[in-house]
Amino acid sequence: MATASRHSPETYAVIVGAGSGVRFGRSKAFFTWHGEPLIASAARPFLRHADVEGMVLVVRLEDLEAARDLAGTFSKPTRVVAGGATRSASVRRGLAELPNGVGRVAIHDAARPLVSQRLLESLLTADAPCVIPRLPLHDALHRDPALGGGSVSREGVWRVQTPQVFDRALLERAHAGEPEAADDGELVLRLGAQVVYVDGEEENIKVTTPDDLVRLESAGVGVRVGHGFDVHRLVPGHRLVLGGVEIPSDLGALGHSDADVICHALMDALLGAAGLPDIGHFFPPDDPRYAGANSVELLRQVVVKVRAEGYVVGNADCTLVLEAPKVGPHRDAMRRILADALGLRPDGVSIKATTAEGLGPLGLRQGVAAWAVVLLRAVEAQA
Ligand code: MG
């Protein structure tokens, strides 16, 4: 996806999530957000970028085991280490874990889950020993009356974010003597070294208080819509499985898998919304692995693919056309099963059923069909 820069030194990311979460009320790094710990979302952009070879996760002692489990699911070599008493101390623990060949390091806060590939690309291609994202201040600044009051000029003042990208040797020098600072860029400035700034992103929110989770939800990183359709023939001697529920019926759906038209329509809607190829590409009908397959399991696999693209499901709306039998009594069970697979509450899934009023092949009970519309929400800023 992202282009590799020429001559770039071996690059690792150090993701720092060892804070006690005092202002947040609990461990931030392992707070579950859209089905995964915040630190996993923070790490994902580095897993996706071709220029990043590996990672070090710096976590609280009590999160070590969870972090090791998480690292085991990553596609790049990932080391895990317990943090120190301060952020700067935690960064030093991370630096100490870097493999020998690593010449460049991106320091990133586990509490920033919305780094875009565009931001990462601009940081990694800036070709300078210290590259930091910054944003202008738009609010006026006032000093607390207890500190003398008055206002503070915002002239020439910037907000800085992570990831911050450093020449490894420079950052190690900046950390020599175990200094303390709010960010690593400050330590490099103390050395008198030159800092190159790139444009930061408003969406690159740092989760500090529980209120920030609300900001995260509405970070404006985009929604996508997808549509899917599926139809299967109805024949005697087959099961009728709809939305993961087997419904007693004299006619069942003919298909290679369990022929669950609701799941199949949903899968195509999800894949379409994420801009991925269709269901036949991932689960070919002539592949013996999918003979009699449980379509709810296939749906779960699609949700994982969509999540890897940076999206979670917002809601899903399905319409089933089936002449008989009535599916109303099974609707709640279907919603529960589908909502679980999609990572939603049951009210996030709608299943509407209608007959075809005896018209056409569906009305003559020759087939069963379903349409689905889904909304995806980006939980990773898109490049
Ligand atoms: Mg199908």
PDB file of all heavy atoms in Angstrom, residues 229-232 254-265 268 279 295, ligand 1:
ATOM      1  N   PHE A 229     -26.157  -9.103  -2.556  1.00  0.00           N
ATOM      2  CA  PHE A 229     -27.337  -9.868  -2.968  1.00  0.00           C
ATOM      3  C   PHE A 229     -26.948 -11.317  -3.097  1.00  0.00           C
ATOM      4  O   PHE A 229     -25.830 -11.627  -3.518  1.00  0.00           O
ATOM      5  CB  PHE A 229     -27.850  -9.346  -4.324  1.00  0.00           C
ATOM      6  CG  PHE A 229     -28.858 -10.265  -4.969  1.00  0.00           C
ATOM      7  CD1 PHE A 229     -30.154 -10.339  -4.471  1.00  0.00           C
ATOM      8  CD2 PHE A 229     -28.493 -11.069  -6.040  1.00  0.00           C
ATOM      9  CE1 PHE A 229     -31.081 -11.215  -5.059  1.00  0.00           C
ATOM     10  CE2 PHE A 229     -29.415 -11.934  -6.619  1.00  0.00           C
ATOM     11  CZ  PHE A 229     -30.706 -12.001  -6.131  1.00  0.00           C
ATOM     12  N   ASP A 230     -27.866 -12.219  -2.739  1.00  0.00           N
ATOM     13  CA  ASP A 230     -27.621 -13.638  -2.995  1.00  0.00           C
ATOM     14  C   ASP A 230     -28.931 -14.364  -3.197  1.00  0.00           C
ATOM     15  O   ASP A 230     -29.970 -13.983  -2.640  1.00  0.00           O
ATOM     16  CB  ASP A 230     -26.854 -14.283  -1.827  1.00  0.00           C
ATOM     17  CG  ASP A 230     -26.295 -15.650  -2.213  1.00  0.00           C
ATOM     18  OD1 ASP A 230     -25.887 -15.820  -3.390  1.00  0.00           O
ATOM     19  OD2 ASP A 230     -26.279 -16.541  -1.360  1.00  0.00           O
ATOM     20  N   VAL A 231     -28.877 -15.393  -4.023  1.00  0.00           N
ATOM     21  CA  VAL A 231     -30.060 -16.229  -4.269  1.00  0.00           C
ATOM     22  C   VAL A 231     -29.615 -17.679  -4.378  1.00  0.00           C
ATOM     23  O   VAL A 231     -28.523 -17.958  -4.878  1.00  0.00           O
ATOM     24  CB  VAL A 231     -30.805 -15.760  -5.552  1.00  0.00           C
ATOM     25  CG1 VAL A 231     -29.919 -15.874  -6.794  1.00  0.00           C
ATOM     26  CG2 VAL A 231     -32.105 -16.521  -5.749  1.00  0.00           C
ATOM     27  N   HIS A 232     -30.401 -18.570  -3.822  1.00  0.00           N
ATOM     28  CA  HIS A 232     -30.153 -20.016  -3.983  1.00  0.00           C
ATOM     29  C   HIS A 232     -31.465 -20.711  -4.343  1.00  0.00           C
ATOM     30  O   HIS A 232     -32.546 -20.268  -3.940  1.00  0.00           O
ATOM     31  CB  HIS A 232     -29.587 -20.618  -2.693  1.00  0.00           C
ATOM     32  CG  HIS A 232     -28.124 -20.341  -2.503  1.00  0.00           C
ATOM     33  ND1 HIS A 232     -27.142 -21.254  -2.760  1.00  0.00           N
ATOM     34  CD2 HIS A 232     -27.484 -19.215  -2.099  1.00  0.00           C
ATOM     35  CE1 HIS A 232     -25.942 -20.722  -2.518  1.00  0.00           C
ATOM     36  NE2 HIS A 232     -26.132 -19.468  -2.112  1.00  0.00           N
ATOM     37  N   LEU A 254     -30.169 -25.070  -2.077  1.00  0.00           N
ATOM     38  CA  LEU A 254     -29.137 -25.828  -2.765  1.00  0.00           C
ATOM     39  C   LEU A 254     -27.886 -24.970  -2.885  1.00  0.00           C
ATOM     40  O   LEU A 254     -27.945 -23.843  -3.371  1.00  0.00           O
ATOM     41  CB  LEU A 254     -29.644 -26.216  -4.162  1.00  0.00           C
ATOM     42  CG  LEU A 254     -28.707 -27.053  -5.037  1.00  0.00           C
ATOM     43  CD1 LEU A 254     -28.455 -28.418  -4.420  1.00  0.00           C
ATOM     44  CD2 LEU A 254     -29.291 -27.188  -6.449  1.00  0.00           C
ATOM     45  N   GLY A 255     -26.746 -25.521  -2.428  1.00  0.00           N
ATOM     46  CA  GLY A 255     -25.515 -24.744  -2.545  1.00  0.00           C
ATOM     47  C   GLY A 255     -24.329 -25.549  -2.105  1.00  0.00           C
ATOM     48  O   GLY A 255     -24.469 -26.635  -1.523  1.00  0.00           O
ATOM     49  N   HIS A 256     -23.151 -25.031  -2.360  1.00  0.00           N
ATOM     50  CA  HIS A 256     -21.910 -25.711  -2.027  1.00  0.00           C
ATOM     51  C   HIS A 256     -21.685 -25.671  -0.507  1.00  0.00           C
ATOM     52  O   HIS A 256     -21.351 -26.666   0.117  1.00  0.00           O
ATOM     53  CB  HIS A 256     -20.758 -25.026  -2.758  1.00  0.00           C
ATOM     54  CG  HIS A 256     -19.446 -25.684  -2.548  1.00  0.00           C
ATOM     55  ND1 HIS A 256     -19.199 -26.986  -2.904  1.00  0.00           N
ATOM     56  CD2 HIS A 256     -18.291 -25.217  -2.017  1.00  0.00           C
ATOM     57  CE1 HIS A 256     -17.940 -27.293  -2.603  1.00  0.00           C
ATOM     58  NE2 HIS A 256     -17.367 -26.237  -2.062  1.00  0.00           N
ATOM     59  N   SER A 257     -21.905 -24.472   0.065  1.00  0.00           N
ATOM     60  CA  SER A 257     -21.802 -24.337   1.515  1.00  0.00           C
ATOM     61  C   SER A 257     -23.174 -24.665   2.104  1.00  0.00           C
ATOM     62  O   SER A 257     -23.952 -25.377   1.501  1.00  0.00           O
ATOM     63  CB  SER A 257     -21.399 -22.903   1.876  1.00  0.00           C
ATOM     64  OG  SER A 257     -22.437 -22.004   1.515  1.00  0.00           O
ATOM     65  N   ASP A 258     -23.472 -24.085   3.269  1.00  0.00           N
ATOM     66  CA  ASP A 258     -24.812 -24.296   3.822  1.00  0.00           C
ATOM     67  C   ASP A 258     -25.861 -23.430   3.118  1.00  0.00           C
ATOM     68  O   ASP A 258     -27.032 -23.448   3.483  1.00  0.00           O
ATOM     69  CB  ASP A 258     -24.821 -24.070   5.338  1.00  0.00           C
ATOM     70  CG  ASP A 258     -24.417 -22.653   5.719  1.00  0.00           C
ATOM     71  OD1 ASP A 258     -24.292 -21.798   4.807  1.00  0.00           O
ATOM     72  OD2 ASP A 258     -24.207 -22.394   6.921  1.00  0.00           O
ATOM     73  N   ALA A 259     -25.441 -22.647   2.111  1.00  0.00           N
ATOM     74  CA  ALA A 259     -26.341 -21.888   1.243  1.00  0.00           C
ATOM     75  C   ALA A 259     -27.191 -20.881   2.019  1.00  0.00           C
ATOM     76  O   ALA A 259     -28.369 -20.677   1.713  1.00  0.00           O
ATOM     77  CB  ALA A 259     -27.232 -22.830   0.427  1.00  0.00           C
ATOM     78  N   ASP A 260     -26.569 -20.248   2.997  1.00  0.00           N
ATOM     79  CA  ASP A 260     -27.261 -19.259   3.837  1.00  0.00           C
ATOM     80  C   ASP A 260     -27.248 -17.906   3.100  1.00  0.00           C
ATOM     81  O   ASP A 260     -26.256 -17.173   3.125  1.00  0.00           O
ATOM     82  CB  ASP A 260     -26.525 -19.168   5.180  1.00  0.00           C
ATOM     83  CG  ASP A 260     -27.206 -18.260   6.195  1.00  0.00           C
ATOM     84  OD1 ASP A 260     -27.904 -17.312   5.786  1.00  0.00           O
ATOM     85  OD2 ASP A 260     -27.011 -18.500   7.404  1.00  0.00           O
ATOM     86  N   VAL A 261     -28.363 -17.586   2.449  1.00  0.00           N
ATOM     87  CA  VAL A 261     -28.376 -16.389   1.583  1.00  0.00           C
ATOM     88  C   VAL A 261     -28.199 -15.088   2.374  1.00  0.00           C
ATOM     89  O   VAL A 261     -27.636 -14.123   1.862  1.00  0.00           O
ATOM     90  CB  VAL A 261     -29.671 -16.283   0.727  1.00  0.00           C
ATOM     91  CG1 VAL A 261     -29.679 -17.327  -0.379  1.00  0.00           C
ATOM     92  CG2 VAL A 261     -30.914 -16.349   1.588  1.00  0.00           C
ATOM     93  N   ILE A 262     -28.671 -15.067   3.612  1.00  0.00           N
ATOM     94  CA  ILE A 262     -28.519 -13.834   4.401  1.00  0.00           C
ATOM     95  C   ILE A 262     -27.035 -13.594   4.688  1.00  0.00           C
ATOM     96  O   ILE A 262     -26.511 -12.491   4.484  1.00  0.00           O
ATOM     97  CB  ILE A 262     -29.333 -13.906   5.717  1.00  0.00           C
ATOM     98  CG1 ILE A 262     -30.828 -13.938   5.391  1.00  0.00           C
ATOM     99  CG2 ILE A 262     -29.017 -12.702   6.606  1.00  0.00           C
ATOM    100  CD1 ILE A 262     -31.739 -14.002   6.617  1.00  0.00           C
ATOM    101  N   CYS A 263     -26.344 -14.638   5.146  1.00  0.00           N
ATOM    102  CA  CYS A 263     -24.904 -14.490   5.410  1.00  0.00           C
ATOM    103  C   CYS A 263     -24.147 -14.128   4.140  1.00  0.00           C
ATOM    104  O   CYS A 263     -23.240 -13.289   4.169  1.00  0.00           O
ATOM    105  CB  CYS A 263     -24.321 -15.786   5.989  1.00  0.00           C
ATOM    106  SG  CYS A 263     -24.701 -16.006   7.730  1.00  0.00           S
ATOM    107  N   HIS A 264     -24.508 -14.755   3.023  1.00  0.00           N
ATOM    108  CA  HIS A 264     -23.781 -14.497   1.777  1.00  0.00           C
ATOM    109  C   HIS A 264     -24.003 -13.059   1.297  1.00  0.00           C
ATOM    110  O   HIS A 264     -23.065 -12.393   0.840  1.00  0.00           O
ATOM    111  CB  HIS A 264     -24.191 -15.497   0.696  1.00  0.00           C
ATOM    112  CG  HIS A 264     -23.796 -16.910   1.019  1.00  0.00           C
ATOM    113  ND1 HIS A 264     -23.992 -17.976   0.184  1.00  0.00           N
ATOM    114  CD2 HIS A 264     -23.195 -17.419   2.143  1.00  0.00           C
ATOM    115  CE1 HIS A 264     -23.538 -19.087   0.751  1.00  0.00           C
ATOM    116  NE2 HIS A 264     -23.062 -18.764   1.948  1.00  0.00           N
ATOM    117  N   ALA A 265     -25.238 -12.574   1.397  1.00  0.00           N
ATOM    118  CA  ALA A 265     -25.508 -11.185   1.003  1.00  0.00           C
ATOM    119  C   ALA A 265     -24.740 -10.224   1.921  1.00  0.00           C
ATOM    120  O   ALA A 265     -24.169  -9.231   1.462  1.00  0.00           O
ATOM    121  CB  ALA A 265     -27.011 -10.907   1.069  1.00  0.00           C
ATOM    122  N   ASP A 268     -20.950 -10.163   0.985  1.00  0.00           N
ATOM    123  CA  ASP A 268     -20.665  -9.344  -0.199  1.00  0.00           C
ATOM    124  C   ASP A 268     -20.834  -7.858   0.099  1.00  0.00           C
ATOM    125  O   ASP A 268     -20.095  -7.025  -0.437  1.00  0.00           O
ATOM    126  CB  ASP A 268     -21.560  -9.760  -1.368  1.00  0.00           C
ATOM    127  CG  ASP A 268     -20.799 -10.651  -2.350  1.00  0.00           C
ATOM    128  OD1 ASP A 268     -19.567 -10.784  -2.200  1.00  0.00           O
ATOM    129  OD2 ASP A 268     -21.443 -11.200  -3.262  1.00  0.00           O
ATOM    130  N   ILE A 279     -17.199 -12.402  -2.552  1.00  0.00           N
ATOM    131  CA  ILE A 279     -17.210 -13.645  -1.786  1.00  0.00           C
ATOM    132  C   ILE A 279     -16.617 -14.819  -2.567  1.00  0.00           C
ATOM    133  O   ILE A 279     -15.897 -15.644  -2.022  1.00  0.00           O
ATOM    134  CB  ILE A 279     -18.681 -13.908  -1.349  1.00  0.00           C
ATOM    135  CG1 ILE A 279     -18.845 -15.141  -0.484  1.00  0.00           C
ATOM    136  CG2 ILE A 279     -19.609 -14.019  -2.533  1.00  0.00           C
ATOM    137  CD1 ILE A 279     -20.279 -15.256   0.056  1.00  0.00           C
ATOM    138  N   SER A 295     -21.775 -20.787   7.138  1.00  0.00           N
ATOM    139  CA  SER A 295     -21.586 -19.448   6.575  1.00  0.00           C
ATOM    140  C   SER A 295     -21.371 -18.386   7.640  1.00  0.00           C
ATOM    141  O   SER A 295     -20.774 -17.343   7.365  1.00  0.00           O
ATOM    142  CB  SER A 295     -22.777 -19.075   5.688  1.00  0.00           C
ATOM    143  OG  SER A 295     -22.810 -19.913   4.560  1.00  0.00           O
TER     144      SER A 295
HETATM  145 MG    MG B   1     -24.608 -17.883  -1.944  1.00  0.00          MG
END
